Amino acid sequence: MLVILKMGGAAITDKATYETANEEAIWKLAYAASQAYSLSKGKLQLIIVHGAGSFGHPQVVKYKVENGVRTPKQAYGYCRVRDSCSKLSASVMRELLDAGVPAVLLPTGAIAIQKNKHISHFHLDMINQALKMGLVPVLRGDMVFDEAIGASVCSGDHVIAYLCSKLKVDRAVFATDVDGVYTADPKTDKHARMFKEIKLSDLDRVKGAVSGAKTVDVTGGMKGKLAELKNINATVFVANAKEPERITALLLGKPALSTKIS
Ligand code: ADP
């Protein structure tokens, strides 16, 4: 079975503080992945995609590259965004390898090209080769070349939607910093209630109640995520990264507290 784990930027960084990784959260997710990997006894094929959180996004804003790269200053900004994302990848890779996961970094910016902010070319053969070798490819939210506008942001969620459209993905587990999807932002609304399950056909209605990003996220926060999920053809679970046993269970197809979207 092929499963995707999203290490959400909200979970693995402090989104409010410039380039600050949450090493403990990364370790917990790496541990969850390694547990699932070994408990599955070779049955689990895993792809990991990490978000950017407080890496990458600040540079996108500083160099004004949200809508493409045209000037030399913006081109330099594109390089700074990629470099910032690489710093977070380094932390993710260290924890995964230390947890015993045979992880190999395939930075999205080096294997994908977009056209007007949508993936138009993608080296799926690299993902397939890694999987064939029993490895865990690690991709990320990144900036990538864009054949129409120079370069553009490709969120981790967009990468996952793309992979689900091209590969037979059994499920995708989105680990974030809250227990699931709620009727309102659970951090600011104490009356927010968590959905156990959302049908794809109800997603638009639910999206109306969900707020966009309040920090540096240029990819739309939970609202952006739900918009991306609308196009996904795999069962999705949104769950809390701080609870590794839940993540392990969901990766293995077992029940755990989360919001299921199908
Ligand atoms: P990630 O970076 O982990 O992919 P996002 O930052 O995009 O995740 O989305 C998670 C954030 O969305 C949470 O920190 C939460 O505070 C916020 N949020 C806003 N509205 C909702 C909602 N209705 N349900 C759950 N989370 C929400």
Side-chain angles (χ1 to χ4, degrees), residues 166-229:
K166 298 288 175 190
L167 302 171
K168 216 190 139 309
V169 176
D170 289 285
R171 60 192 160 273
V173 178
F174 285 72
T176 186
D177 65 343
V178 291
D179 284 343
V181 182
Y182 288 71
T183 49
D185 188 344
K187 287 193 188 142
T188 52
D189 186 340
K190 64 179 178 0
H191 300 297
R193 281 177 301 108
M194 197 185 100
F195 294 98
K196 278 210 159 123
E197 190 164 356
I198 302 172
K199 291 279 161 217
L200 275 181
S201 49
D202 283 342
L203 211 53
D204 274 336
R205 202 165 46 78
V206 171
K207 218 168 62 187
V210 173
S211 45
K214 292 191 188 61
T215 50
V216 286
D217 196 329
V218 294
T219 57
M222 184 57 82
K223 210 183 188 83
K225 186 182 314 305
L226 295 184
E228 205 58 78
L229 293 185

Side-chain angles (χ1 to χ4, degrees), residues 126-200:
M126 298 192 69
I127 307 281
N128 285 328
Q129 178 69 13
L131 292 173
K132 207 163 99 187
M133 291 170 68
L135 304 180
V136 175
V138 179
L139 294 89
R140 67 181 184 217
D142 210 348
M143 246 192 120
V144 308
F145 290 126
D146 188 306
E147 50 195 326
I149 56 174
S152 56
V153 172
C154 178
S155 73
D157 299 338
H158 188 57
V159 174
I160 294 175
Y162 180 84
L163 289 174
C164 288
S165 75
K166 298 288 175 190
L167 302 171
K168 216 190 139 309
V169 176
D170 289 285
R171 60 192 160 273
V173 178
F174 285 72
T176 186
D177 65 343
V178 291
D179 284 343
V181 182
Y182 288 71
T183 49
D185 188 344
K187 287 193 188 142
T188 52
D189 186 340
K190 64 179 178 0
H191 300 297
R193 281 177 301 108
M194 197 185 100
F195 294 98
K196 278 210 159 123
E197 190 164 356
I198 302 172
K199 291 279 161 217
L200 275 181

